[in-house]
Amino acid sequence: MICLGFEGTAHTFGVGVVNSEGKVLANESEVYVPEEGGIHPREAAQMHNKNARKILDAALERAKIGSEDVDLVAFSQGPGLGSCLRTVATAARALSVSLEVPILGVNHCVAHVEIGRLMEGARDPVTLYVSGGNTQVIAYDGGRYRIFGETLDMALGNCLDTFARKLGLSHPGGPKIEKLAEESDNLIELPYSVKGMDLSFSGLLTESIRRYRDEGIDLEDLAHSLQETAFATLTEVTERAVAHTEKDEVMLVGGVAANRRLREMIRLMAEEHGAELFVPPMEFCADNGAMIGWTGILAHKAGLKQRIEDTHIQQRWRTDEVEIPWRD
């Protein structure tokens, strides 16, 4: 079976081609980068619409298949930005009807976990998923992926990007903050907010911006302190989940997984608990169509089906609302 996976929850429009043996035949994408400020949902959706055919054709060419070889269409049904989700859902529906093949909507967060498990061979990890739009600690139990901790306000990737933007740095801000942070080891005290098993980054962001503007603290020192504080909260909550579940695998996914300091902190924590750390290649940590295609195949093989009229988008589709019949 060959599945065509469409990703389009935010800034990335991706098309992946995956077969039922877990081989990624193609994984093409186009990323919207705003001229200024953060992501503008309508502009991102317009870019997705403009590039959809080009990316689809590139994926089919890379996979060396024709549209007649496609057996299933999967798409990111949520969570995400409404205008972007609608654009991708419309493209997926049109292709499903045209090719007369089944269609399945996939949860974006679950797809990050499943492509990570596929690429790294992880069996049953505690997953730290950190991106521009999501921050969650996830582990499988009782037929669903349970959220053991999550942000109560903004995702960490959004926090880093907003901080960089307020300082006049271009989007995306995360890599630029990381580079600045590497130039300092001077830790400045900033708000450390862990509330039970959940996290909050809005106060950390506000105080970091205030101290830069009002106190003139060196940018390198502030970037280092922001990273250390935020990553420490992530590590604490992930460690609690590992201790509670007694799982012996930890996986780091999402765009922020590219940060070397975060990887180091999670690796040290995992080692202390006798757990193995898995980090998929960055191509599959970032938003991509292959993860949607693979999760679509898993769902289809488990017997899940959808009618076209049931493929409406779900902007706030929570990870723990999704039944996972392909795992035992």
Side-chain angles (χ1 to χ4, degrees), residues 155-222:
L156 179 57
N158 186 20
C159 173
L160 296 173
D161 286 342
T162 303
F163 178 71
R165 190 162 62 246
K166 294 295 184 181
L167 272 55
L169 303 176
S170 60
H171 183 88
K176 299 174 180 66
I177 296 300
E178 179 182 10
K179 188 173 182 180
L180 288 168
E182 291 172 350
E183 301 300 318
S184 171
D185 59 4
N186 180 26
L187 185 62
I188 299 165
E189 185 175 351
L190 292 171
Y192 183 99
S193 189
V194 173
K195 302 181 179 182
M197 283 291 287
D198 292 323
L199 306 140
S200 174
F201 298 111
S202 58
L204 172 62
L205 172 63
T206 300
E207 180 65 5
S208 298
I209 295 171
R210 186 197 69 78
R211 297 196 69 173
Y212 175 72
R213 290 178 173 173
D214 296 349
E215 300 178 21
I217 294 175
D218 287 342
L219 187 52
E220 292 81 2
D221 292 346
L222 205 49

Side-chain angles (χ1 to χ4, degrees), residues 270-305:
E271 287 180 356
E272 290 178 359
H273 286 267
E276 185 175 1
L277 175 64
F278 297 95
V279 184
M282 279 314 301
E283 176 185 358
F284 301 105
C285 278
D287 293 350
N288 64 91
M291 71 182 194
I292 304 299
W294 175 239
T295 309
I297 284 178
L298 292 174
H300 185 268
K301 290 168 69 175
L304 296 185
K305 298 179 181 180

Side-chain angles (χ1 to χ4, degrees), residues 62-141:
R62 173 80 61 158
K64 298 180 180 179
I65 64 170
S67 57
E68 67 278 4
D69 298 311
V70 175
D71 302 299
L72 174 69
V73 172
F75 71 99
S76 50
Q77 193 170 6
L81 302 176
S83 55
C84 296
L85 289 170
R86 281 188 288 272
T87 298
V88 172
T90 299
R93 290 188 199 108
L95 199 60
S96 170
V97 171
S98 174
L99 299 179
E100 297 183 340
V101 298
I103 186 171
L104 278 175
V106 166
N107 181 283
H108 175 86
C109 306
V110 169
H112 270 291
V113 177
E114 293 301 351
I115 196 67
R117 292 178 62 230
L118 173 67
M119 290 296 152
E120 294 300 298
R123 295 171 291 101
D124 188 26
V126 170
T127 300
L128 173 58
Y129 168 34
V130 196
S131 68
N134 298 278
T135 299
Q136 298 177 343
V137 178
I138 304 165
Y140 178 79
D141 183 63

